[in-house]
Amino acid sequence: MSKGLLLYLLLFLATVLASPRVAFAHATPEAEDPKVGSTVTVPPQQVAIRFDAPIETLFSKLDVLDSNGQSKAEGAPQVDTETRTLTVRLQ
């Protein structure tokens, strides 16, 4: 094998090994209660979202706003790691 080809192969290998890996870092909602886009006549007591992957408790946030843009969340959202559900109680 020539030195040029060997050098090319080493550079190619170094590039492949140094390339960033693909990572899927976001869970996707599977189900919501109440359903997304629904209209409710009576305010629900809570909002819950079930995800397709584990939820990182440290970074979990759920904002629930009324028609005037005012927050209706009562406290921090709760994470159920077994059901992968994020729930927040409402005022």
Side-chain angles (χ1 to χ4, degrees):
M1 186 179 303
S2 71
K3 288 183 182 181
L5 181 58
L6 181 59
L7 180 59
Y8 173 78
L9 289 174
L10 287 174
L11 285 174
F12 176 76
L13 183 60
T15 302
V16 169
L17 292 175
S19 297
R21 305 293 187 266
V22 174
F24 299 101
H26 298 285
T28 303
E30 283 187 328
E32 306 84 15
D33 183 28
K35 299 282 184 203
V36 170
S38 64
T39 301
V40 294
T41 55
V42 178
Q45 293 182 345
Q46 68 180 19
V47 170
I49 303 173
R50 188 179 74 234
F51 291 87
D52 66 348
I55 307 165
E56 178 57 56
T57 305
L58 180 63
F59 302 110
S60 298
K61 182 177 179 182
L62 181 56
D63 292 325
V64 179
L65 308 176
D66 66 12
S67 59
N68 296 319
Q70 299 297 310
S71 177
K72 292 298 174 183
E74 189 174 279
Q78 301 299 308
V79 175
D80 183 331
T81 56
E82 289 195 24
T83 63
R84 302 178 321 263
T85 303
L86 184 64
T87 305
V88 66
R89 296 208 45 84
L90 303 180
Q91 300 171 356

Coordinates of all heavy atoms in Angstrom, one line a residue:
M1 N 0.9 -1.2 0.0 CA 0.0 0.0 0.0 C 0.9 1.2 0.0 O 1.8 1.3 0.8 CB -0.9 0.0 1.2 CG -1.9 1.1 1.2 SD -3.0 1.1 2.7 CE -3.8 -0.5 2.7
S2 N 0.6 2.2 -0.8 CA 1.4 3.4 -0.9 C 1.2 4.3 0.3 O 0.1 4.2 0.9 CB 1.1 4.1 -2.2 OG -0.2 4.7 -2.1
K3 N 2.1 5.2 0.5 CA 2.0 6.1 1.7 C 0.9 7.1 1.5 O 0.2 7.4 2.4 CB 3.3 6.9 1.8 CG 4.5 6.0 2.4 CD 5.7 6.9 2.6 CE 6.8 6.0 3.1 NZ 8.0 6.8 3.3
G4 N 0.6 7.5 0.2 CA -0.5 8.4 0.0 C -1.8 7.8 0.3 O -2.7 8.4 0.9
L5 N -2.0 6.5 -0.1 CA -3.3 5.8 0.2 C -3.5 5.6 1.7 O -4.5 5.8 2.2 CB -3.3 4.5 -0.6 CG -4.6 3.7 -0.4 CD1 -5.8 4.5 -0.9 CD2 -4.5 2.4 -1.2
L6 N -2.4 5.2 2.3 CA -2.4 5.0 3.8 C -2.8 6.3 4.5 O -3.6 6.3 5.4 CB -1.1 4.4 4.3 CG -1.0 4.1 5.8 CD1 -2.1 3.1 6.2 CD2 0.4 3.6 6.1
L7 N -2.2 7.4 4.1 CA -2.5 8.7 4.7 C -3.9 9.1 4.5 O -4.6 9.5 5.4 CB -1.6 9.8 4.1 CG -1.8 11.2 4.7 CD1 -1.5 11.2 6.2 CD2 -0.8 12.1 4.0
Y8 N -4.4 8.8 3.3 CA -5.8 9.1 2.9 C -6.8 8.3 3.8 O -7.7 8.8 4.4 CB -6.1 8.8 1.5 CG -7.6 9.0 1.1 CD1 -8.2 10.2 0.9 CD2 -8.4 7.8 1.0 CE1 -9.5 10.3 0.6 CE2 -9.7 7.9 0.7 CZ -10.3 9.2 0.5 OH -11.6 9.3 0.2
L9 N -6.5 7.0 4.0 CA -7.3 6.1 4.8 C -7.3 6.5 6.3 O -8.3 6.5 7.0 CB -6.9 4.7 4.7 CG -7.2 4.0 3.3 CD1 -6.6 2.6 3.3 CD2 -8.7 4.0 3.1
L10 N -6.1 6.9 6.8 CA -6.0 7.4 8.2 C -6.8 8.7 8.4 O -7.5 8.9 9.4 CB -4.6 7.6 8.6 CG -3.8 6.3 8.8 CD1 -2.3 6.6 9.0 CD2 -4.4 5.5 9.9
L11 N -6.7 9.6 7.4 CA -7.5 10.9 7.5 C -9.0 10.6 7.5 O -9.8 11.2 8.2 CB -7.1 11.8 6.4 CG -5.7 12.5 6.6 CD1 -5.4 13.3 5.4 CD2 -5.8 13.4 7.8
F12 N -9.4 9.7 6.6 CA -10.8 9.3 6.5 C -11.3 8.7 7.8 O -12.4 9.1 8.3 CB -11.0 8.3 5.3 CG -12.4 7.9 5.2 CD1 -13.4 8.7 4.6 CD2 -12.8 6.6 5.6 CE1 -14.7 8.3 4.6 CE2 -14.1 6.1 5.5 CZ -15.1 7.0 5.0
L13 N -10.6 7.8 8.3 CA -10.9 7.2 9.6 C -11.0 8.2 10.7 O -11.9 8.2 11.5 CB -9.9 6.1 9.9 CG -10.2 5.3 11.2 CD1 -11.5 4.5 11.1 CD2 -9.1 4.3 11.5
A14 N -10.0 9.1 10.8 CA -10.1 10.1 11.8 C -11.3 11.0 11.7 O -11.9 11.4 12.7 CB -8.8 11.0 11.8
T15 N -11.7 11.3 10.5 CA -12.8 12.2 10.2 C -14.1 11.5 10.6 O -15.0 12.0 11.3 CB -12.9 12.5 8.7 OG1 -11.8 13.2 8.3 CG2 -14.1 13.4 8.4
V16 N -14.2 10.2 10.3 CA -15.4 9.4 10.7 C -15.5 9.3 12.2 O -16.6 9.5 12.8 CB -15.4 8.0 10.0 CG1 -16.5 7.1 10.6 CG2 -15.6 8.1 8.5
L17 N -14.4 9.0 12.9 CA -14.5 8.9 14.3 C -14.7 10.2 15.0 O -15.3 10.2 16.1 CB -13.2 8.3 14.8 CG -12.9 6.8 14.4 CD1 -11.6 6.3 14.9 CD2 -14.0 5.9 15.0
A18 N -14.3 11.3 14.4 CA -14.5 12.6 15.1 C -15.9 13.3 14.7 O -16.2 14.3 15.3 CB -13.4 13.6 14.6
S19 N -16.6 12.7 13.8 CA -17.9 13.2 13.4 C -18.9 13.1 14.6 O -18.9 12.1 15.3 CB -18.5 12.5 12.2 OG -17.6 12.7 11.1
P20 N -19.8 14.1 14.7 CA -20.8 14.1 15.7 C -21.8 12.9 15.5 O -22.1 12.6 14.3 CB -21.5 15.4 15.6 CG -21.1 16.0 14.4 CD -19.9 15.3 13.9
R21 N -22.3 12.3 16.5 CA -23.2 11.2 16.4 C -24.6 11.8 16.4 O -24.9 12.8 17.0 CB -23.1 10.3 17.6 CG -21.7 9.7 17.8 CD -21.3 8.8 16.6 NE -20.0 8.1 16.8 CZ -18.9 8.5 16.4 NH1 -18.8 9.7 15.8 NH2 -17.8 7.8 16.6
V22 N -25.5 11.1 15.8 CA -26.9 11.6 15.8 C -27.5 11.2 17.1 O -27.4 10.1 17.6 CB -27.7 10.9 14.6 CG1 -29.2 11.2 14.7 CG2 -27.1 11.3 13.3
A23 N -28.2 12.1 17.7 CA -28.9 11.9 19.0 C -30.3 12.4 18.9 O -30.6 13.5 18.4 CB -28.1 12.5 20.1
F24 N -31.2 11.6 19.4 CA -32.6 12.0 19.5 C -32.9 12.4 20.9 O -33.0 11.6 21.8 CB -33.6 10.9 19.1 CG -33.3 10.5 17.7 CD1 -32.6 9.3 17.4 CD2 -33.8 11.2 16.6 CE1 -32.3 9.0 16.1 CE2 -33.5 10.9 15.3 CZ -32.8 9.7 15.0
A25 N -33.0 13.8 21.2 CA -33.0 14.3 22.5 C -34.3 14.7 23.0 O -34.5 15.2 24.1 CB -32.0 15.4 22.7
H26 N -35.4 14.6 22.2 CA -36.7 15.1 22.6 C -37.7 14.0 22.6 O -37.8 13.3 21.6 CB -37.1 16.2 21.7 CG -36.1 17.4 21.7 ND1 -36.1 18.3 22.8 CD2 -35.2 17.8 20.9 CE1 -35.2 19.2 22.6 NE2 -34.6 18.9 21.4
A27 N -38.5 14.0 23.6 CA -39.6 13.1 23.7 C -40.8 13.7 22.9 O -40.9 15.0 22.9 CB -40.0 12.8 25.1
T28 N -41.6 12.9 22.3 CA -42.7 13.4 21.5 C -44.0 13.1 22.2 O -44.2 12.0 22.7 CB -42.7 12.8 20.1 OG1 -41.5 13.1 19.5 CG2 -43.9 13.4 19.3
P29 N -45.0 14.1 22.3 CA -46.2 13.7 23.0 C -47.0 12.6 22.3 O -47.1 12.6 21.0 CB -47.0 15.1 22.9 CG -46.0 16.1 22.8 CD -44.9 15.5 22.0
E30 N -47.6 11.7 23.0 CA -48.4 10.6 22.5 C -49.9 10.9 22.7 O -50.7 10.5 21.9 CB -48.0 9.3 23.2 CG -46.8 8.7 22.7 CD -46.6 7.3 23.3 OE1 -47.0 7.0 24.4 OE2 -46.0 6.5 22.6
A31 N -50.2 11.5 23.9 CA -51.6 11.7 24.3 C -51.6 12.9 25.2 O -50.7 13.1 26.0 CB -52.2 10.5 24.9
E32 N -52.7 13.6 25.1 CA -52.9 14.8 26.0 C -54.3 14.8 26.6 O -55.3 14.2 26.0 CB -52.8 16.1 25.2 CG -51.5 16.3 24.4 CD -51.5 15.6 23.1 OE1 -52.6 15.2 22.6 OE2 -50.4 15.4 22.5
D33 N -54.5 15.3 27.8 CA -55.8 15.4 28.4 C -55.9 16.8 29.1 O -55.1 17.0 30.0 CB -56.0 14.3 29.4 CG -57.4 14.4 30.0 OD1 -58.3 14.9 29.3 OD2 -57.5 13.9 31.2
P34 N -56.7 17.7 28.6 CA -57.6 17.6 27.4 C -56.8 17.6 26.1 O -55.6 17.9 26.1 CB -58.4 18.9 27.5 CG -57.8 19.8 28.4 CD -56.8 19.0 29.3
K35 N -57.4 17.1 25.1 CA -56.8 16.9 23.8 C -56.4 18.3 23.2 O -57.0 19.3 23.4 CB -57.8 16.3 22.8 CG -58.3 15.0 23.2 CD -57.3 13.9 22.9 CE -57.8 12.5 23.2 NZ -56.8 11.6 23.4
V36 N -55.2 18.3 22.5 CA -54.7 19.5 21.8 C -55.8 20.0 20.9 O -56.4 19.3 20.1 CB -53.4 19.2 21.0 CG1 -53.0 20.3 20.2 CG2 -52.3 18.8 22.0
G37 N -56.0 21.3 20.9 CA -57.0 22.0 20.0 C -58.4 21.9 20.5 O -59.3 22.4 19.8
S38 N -58.7 21.2 21.6 CA -60.0 21.1 22.0 C -60.5 22.3 22.7 O -59.7 23.1 23.2 CB -60.2 19.9 23.0 OG -59.5 20.0 24.1
T39 N -61.8 22.5 22.8 CA -62.4 23.7 23.5 C -63.1 23.1 24.7 O -63.9 22.1 24.6 CB -63.3 24.4 22.6 OG1 -62.6 24.9 21.5 CG2 -63.9 25.6 23.4
V40 N -62.8 23.6 25.9 CA -63.4 23.1 27.1 C -64.4 24.2 27.6 O -64.2 25.4 27.5 CB -62.4 22.8 28.2 CG1 -61.6 21.6 27.8 CG2 -61.5 24.0 28.5
T41 N -65.6 23.7 28.1 CA -66.6 24.7 28.6 C -66.4 24.9 30.1 O -66.7 26.0 30.6 CB -68.0 24.2 28.4 OG1 -68.1 22.9 28.9 CG2 -68.3 24.1 26.9
V42 N -65.8 23.9 30.8 CA -65.5 24.0 32.2 C -64.0 23.8 32.3 O -63.4 22.9 31.8 CB -66.2 22.9 33.0 CG1 -65.9 23.0 34.5 CG2 -67.7 23.0 32.8
P43 N -63.3 24.7 33.0 CA -61.8 24.5 33.2 C -61.5 23.2 33.8 O -62.1 22.8 34.8 CB -61.4 25.7 34.1 CG -62.5 26.7 34.0 CD -63.8 25.9 33.7
P44 N -60.5 22.5 33.2 CA -60.1 21.2 33.8 C -59.3 21.4 35.1 O -58.8 22.5 35.4 CB -59.2 20.6 32.8 CG -58.7 21.7 32.0 CD -59.8 22.8 32.0
Q45 N -59.2 20.4 36.0 CA -58.5 20.5 37.2 C -57.0 20.3 37.0 O -56.2 20.8 37.8 CB -59.0 19.4 38.2 CG -60.4 19.7 38.7 CD -60.8 18.7 39.7 OE1 -60.2 17.6 39.9 NE2 -61.8 19.0 40.5
Q46 N -56.6 19.7 35.9 CA -55.2 19.5 35.5 C -55.1 19.3 34.0 O -56.0 19.0 33.3 CB -54.7 18.3 36.3 CG -55.2 17.0 35.8 CD -54.6 15.8 36.6 OE1 -54.1 16.0 37.6 NE2 -54.7 14.6 36.0
V47 N -53.8 19.4 33.6 CA -53.5 19.1 32.2 C -52.4 18.0 32.3 O -51.5 18.2 33.1 CB -52.9 20.4 31.4 CG1 -52.4 20.0 30.1 CG2 -54.1 21.4 31.3
A48 N -52.5 17.0 31.5 CA -51.6 15.9 31.5 C -51.1 15.6 30.0 O -52.0 15.6 29.1 CB -52.2 14.7 32.1
I49 N -49.9 15.3 29.9 CA -49.3 14.9 28.5 C -48.5 13.7 28.7 O -47.6 13.7 29.6 CB -48.4 16.1 28.0 CG1 -49.2 17.4 27.8 CG2 -47.9 15.6 26.6 CD1 -48.4 18.6 27.4
R50 N -48.8 12.6 28.0 CA -48.0 11.4 28.0 C -47.0 11.4 26.8 O -47.4 11.7 25.7 CB -48.9 10.2 27.9 CG -48.1 8.9 28.2 CD -49.0 7.7 28.1 NE -49.3 7.4 26.8 CZ -50.6 7.2 26.3 NH1 -51.6 7.3 27.2 NH2 -50.8 6.9 25.1
F51 N -45.8 11.1 27.1 CA -44.7 11.1 26.0 C -44.3 9.7 25.6 O -44.5 8.7 26.3 CB -43.5 11.9 26.6 CG -43.8 13.4 26.7 CD1 -44.3 13.8 27.9 CD2 -43.5 14.3 25.7 CE1 -44.6 15.2 28.1 CE2 -43.8 15.6 25.9 CZ -44.3 16.1 27.0
D52 N -43.6 9.6 24.4 CA -43.2 8.4 23.9 C -41.8 7.9 24.4 O -41.3 6.9 24.1 CB -43.1 8.4 22.4 CG -42.1 9.4 21.8 OD1 -41.5 10.2 22.6 OD2 -41.8 9.4 20.6
A53 N -41.2 8.8 25.2 CA -39.8 8.5 25.8 C -39.7 9.1 27.2 O -40.6 9.9 27.6 CB -38.8 9.1 24.9
P54 N -38.8 8.6 28.0 CA -38.6 9.2 29.3 C -38.5 10.7 29.3 O -38.0 11.3 28.4 CB -37.3 8.5 29.8 CG -37.2 7.3 29.0 CD -37.8 7.6 27.7
I55 N -39.0 11.3 30.4 CA -38.9 12.7 30.6 C -37.9 13.1 31.6 O -37.8 12.5 32.7 CB -40.3 13.3 31.1 CG1 -41.4 12.8 30.2 CG2 -40.3 14.8 31.2 CD1 -42.8 12.9 30.8
E56 N -37.1 14.1 31.3 CA -36.0 14.5 32.3 C -36.7 15.5 33.2 O -37.1 16.6 32.8 CB -34.9 15.2 31.5 CG -33.8 15.7 32.4 CD -33.2 14.7 33.3 OE1 -32.7 13.6 32.8 OE2 -33.2 14.9 34.6
T57 N -36.8 15.1 34.5 CA -37.5 15.9 35.5 C -36.9 17.3 35.6 O -37.6 18.3 35.8 CB -37.5 15.1 36.8 OG1 -38.1 13.8 36.6 CG2 -38.3 15.9 37.9
L58 N -35.6 17.3 35.6 CA -34.9 18.6 35.8 C -35.3 19.7 34.8 O -35.4 20.8 35.1 CB -33.4 18.4 35.8 CG -32.5 19.6 36.0 CD1 -32.7 20.2 37.4 CD2 -31.0 19.2 35.8
F59 N -35.6 19.2 33.6 CA -35.8 20.2 32.5 C -37.3 20.3 32.1 O -37.7 20.9 31.1 CB -35.0 19.9 31.2 CG -33.5 19.8 31.5 CD1 -32.9 18.6 31.5 CD2 -32.9 21.0 31.8 CE1 -31.5 18.6 31.7 CE2 -31.5 21.0 32.0 CZ -30.8 19.8 32.0
S60 N -38.2 19.7 32.9 CA -39.6 19.6 32.6 C -40.3 20.9 32.9 O -40.1 21.5 34.0 CB -40.3 18.5 33.4 OG -39.7 17.3 33.0
K61 N -41.1 21.4 31.9 CA -41.8 22.6 32.1 C -43.1 22.5 31.3 O -43.2 21.9 30.2 CB -41.0 23.8 31.6 CG -41.7 25.1 31.8 CD -40.9 26.3 31.3 CE -41.6 27.6 31.5 NZ -40.8 28.7 31.0
L62 N -44.2 23.0 31.9 CA -45.5 23.0 31.2 C -46.2 24.2 31.6 O -46.6 24.5 32.7 CB -46.3 21.7 31.7 CG -47.7 21.5 31.1 CD1 -47.6 21.5 29.5 CD2 -48.3 20.3 31.6
D63 N -46.5 25.1 30.6 CA -47.2 26.3 30.8 C -48.6 26.1 30.3 O -48.9 25.6 29.2 CB -46.6 27.5 30.0 CG -45.2 27.9 30.5 OD1 -45.0 27.8 31.7 OD2 -44.3 28.2 29.7
V64 N -49.6 26.5 31.1 CA -51.0 26.5 30.7 C -51.5 27.9 30.9 O -51.5 28.5 32.0 CB -51.8 25.6 31.6 CG1 -53.3 25.6 31.2 CG2 -51.2 24.2 31.6
L65 N -52.0 28.5 29.7 CA -52.4 29.9 29.7 C -53.9 30.0 29.4 O -54.4 29.2 28.6 CB -51.6 30.7 28.7 CG -50.1 30.6 28.7 CD1 -49.5 31.3 27.6 CD2 -49.6 31.1 30.1
D66 N -54.6 31.0 30.0 CA -56.0 31.2 29.6 C -56.0 32.0 28.4 O -55.0 32.4 27.7 CB -56.7 31.8 30.8 CG -56.3 33.2 31.1 OD1 -55.5 33.8 30.4 OD2 -56.7 33.7 32.2
S67 N -57.2 32.4 27.9 CA -57.4 33.1 26.7 C -56.8 34.6 26.8 O -56.6 35.2 25.7 CB -58.9 33.2 26.4 OG -59.6 33.9 27.4
N68 N -56.5 35.0 28.0 CA -55.9 36.3 28.1 C -54.4 36.2 28.3 O -53.7 37.2 28.5 CB -56.4 37.1 29.4 CG -57.9 37.4 29.2 OD1 -58.4 37.8 28.1 ND2 -58.7 37.1 30.3
G69 N -53.8 35.0 28.2 CA -52.4 34.8 28.3 C -51.9 34.7 29.7 O -50.7 34.8 29.9
Q70 N -52.8 34.6 30.7 CA -52.4 34.5 32.1 C -52.1 33.0 32.4 O -52.9 32.1 32.0 CB -53.5 35.1 33.0 CG -53.8 36.5 32.7 CD -52.6 37.4 33.0 OE1 -52.0 37.3 34.1 NE2 -52.2 38.3 32.1
S71 N -51.1 32.8 33.2 CA -50.8 31.4 33.6 C -51.9 30.9 34.6 O -52.3 31.6 35.5 CB -49.4 31.4 34.3 OG -49.2 30.1 34.8
K72 N -52.2 29.6 34.3 CA -53.2 29.0 35.2 C -52.6 27.8 35.9 O -53.3 27.1 36.6 CB -54.4 28.5 34.3 CG -55.3 29.7 33.8 CD -55.8 30.5 35.0 CE -56.5 31.7 34.6 NZ -57.0 32.5 35.7
A73 N -51.3 27.6 35.7 CA -50.7 26.4 36.4 C -50.6 26.7 37.9 O -50.3 27.9 38.3 CB -49.3 26.2 35.8
E74 N -50.8 25.7 38.7 CA -50.7 25.8 40.1 C -49.5 25.0 40.6 O -49.5 23.8 40.8 CB -52.0 25.3 40.8 CG -52.1 25.5 42.2 CD -53.4 25.1 42.8 OE1 -54.4 25.8 42.6 OE2 -53.5 24.0 43.3
G75 N -48.3 25.7 40.6 CA -47.1 25.0 41.0 C -46.4 24.3 39.9 O -46.8 24.5 38.7
A76 N -45.3 23.6 40.2 CA -44.5 23.0 39.2 C -45.2 21.7 38.6 O -45.9 21.1 39.3 CB -43.1 22.6 39.8
P77 N -44.9 21.4 37.4 CA -45.4 20.1 36.9 C -44.8 18.9 37.6 O -43.7 19.0 38.0 CB -45.0 20.2 35.4 CG -43.9 21.1 35.3 CD -44.0 22.1 36.4
Q78 N -45.6 17.8 37.6 CA -45.2 16.6 38.2 C -44.9 15.6 37.1 O -45.6 15.5 36.1 CB -46.3 16.0 39.1 CG -46.7 17.0 40.2 CD -45.5 17.3 41.2 OE1 -44.9 16.4 41.6 NE2 -45.3 18.6 41.4
V79 N -43.8 14.8 37.3 CA -43.4 13.8 36.3 C -43.6 12.5 36.9 O -43.1 12.2 38.0 CB -41.9 14.0 35.9 CG1 -41.5 12.9 35.0 CG2 -41.7 15.4 35.2
D80 N -44.3 11.6 36.1 CA -44.5 10.2 36.5 C -43.6 9.4 35.5 O -43.9 9.3 34.3 CB -45.9 9.8 36.3 CG -46.1 8.3 36.7 OD1 -45.2 7.5 36.6 OD2 -47.3 8.0 37.2
T81 N -42.4 9.0 36.0 CA -41.4 8.3 35.2 C -41.9 7.0 34.6 O -41.5 6.6 33.6 CB -40.1 8.1 35.9 OG1 -40.4 7.4 37.1 CG2 -39.5 9.5 36.3
E82 N -42.8 6.3 35.4 CA -43.3 5.0 34.9 C -44.2 5.2 33.7 O -44.2 4.4 32.7 CB -44.0 4.3 36.0 CG -43.0 3.8 37.0 CD -43.6 2.7 38.0 OE1 -44.5 2.0 37.6 OE2 -43.0 2.6 39.1
T83 N -45.1 6.1 33.7 CA -46.0 6.3 32.6 C -45.6 7.4 31.6 O -46.2 7.6 30.6 CB -47.4 6.7 33.1 OG1 -47.3 8.0 33.8 CG2 -48.0 5.7 34.1
R84 N -44.4 8.0 31.9 CA -43.8 9.1 31.1 C -44.9 10.2 30.9 O -45.1 10.7 29.8 CB -43.4 8.5 29.7 CG -42.4 7.4 29.8 CD -41.9 6.8 28.5 NE -43.0 6.7 27.5 CZ -43.7 5.5 27.3 NH1 -43.4 4.5 28.0 NH2 -44.6 5.5 26.4
T85 N -45.5 10.6 32.0 CA -46.5 11.6 31.9 C -46.1 12.9 32.7 O -45.6 12.8 33.8 CB -47.9 11.1 32.5 OG1 -48.2 9.9 31.8 CG2 -49.0 12.1 32.4
L86 N -46.4 14.0 32.1 CA -46.1 15.3 32.7 C -47.5 15.9 33.0 O -48.4 16.1 32.2 CB -45.4 16.2 31.7 CG -44.9 17.6 32.2 CD1 -43.9 17.4 33.3 CD2 -44.3 18.3 31.0
T87 N -47.7 16.3 34.3 CA -49.0 16.7 34.8 C -48.9 18.0 35.6 O -47.9 18.1 36.4 CB -49.7 15.7 35.7 OG1 -49.8 14.5 35.0 CG2 -51.1 16.1 36.1
V88 N -49.8 19.0 35.3 CA -49.8 20.2 36.1 C -51.2 20.5 36.6 O -52.1 20.3 35.8 CB -49.2 21.4 35.4 CG1 -50.0 21.8 34.2 CG2 -49.0 22.6 36.3
R89 N -51.3 20.8 37.9 CA -52.7 21.1 38.4 C -53.0 22.6 38.0 O -52.1 23.4 37.9 CB -52.7 21.0 39.9 CG -52.4 19.5 40.3 CD -53.0 19.1 41.6 NE -54.4 19.5 41.9 CZ -55.5 18.9 41.5 NH1 -55.4 17.9 40.7 NH2 -56.7 19.3 41.9
L90 N -54.2 22.9 37.9 CA -54.6 24.2 37.5 C -55.4 24.9 38.6 O -56.0 24.3 39.4 CB -55.5 24.1 36.2 CG -54.9 23.4 35.0 CD1 -55.9 23.4 33.8 CD2 -53.6 24.1 34.6
Q91 N -55.4 26.3 38.5 CA -56.1 27.1 39.5 C -57.5 27.0 39.3 O -58.0 26.9 38.3 CB -55.6 28.6 39.4 CG -54.1 28.7 39.6 CD -53.7 30.1 39.2 OE1 -54.5 31.0 38.7 NE2 -52.4 30.4 39.4

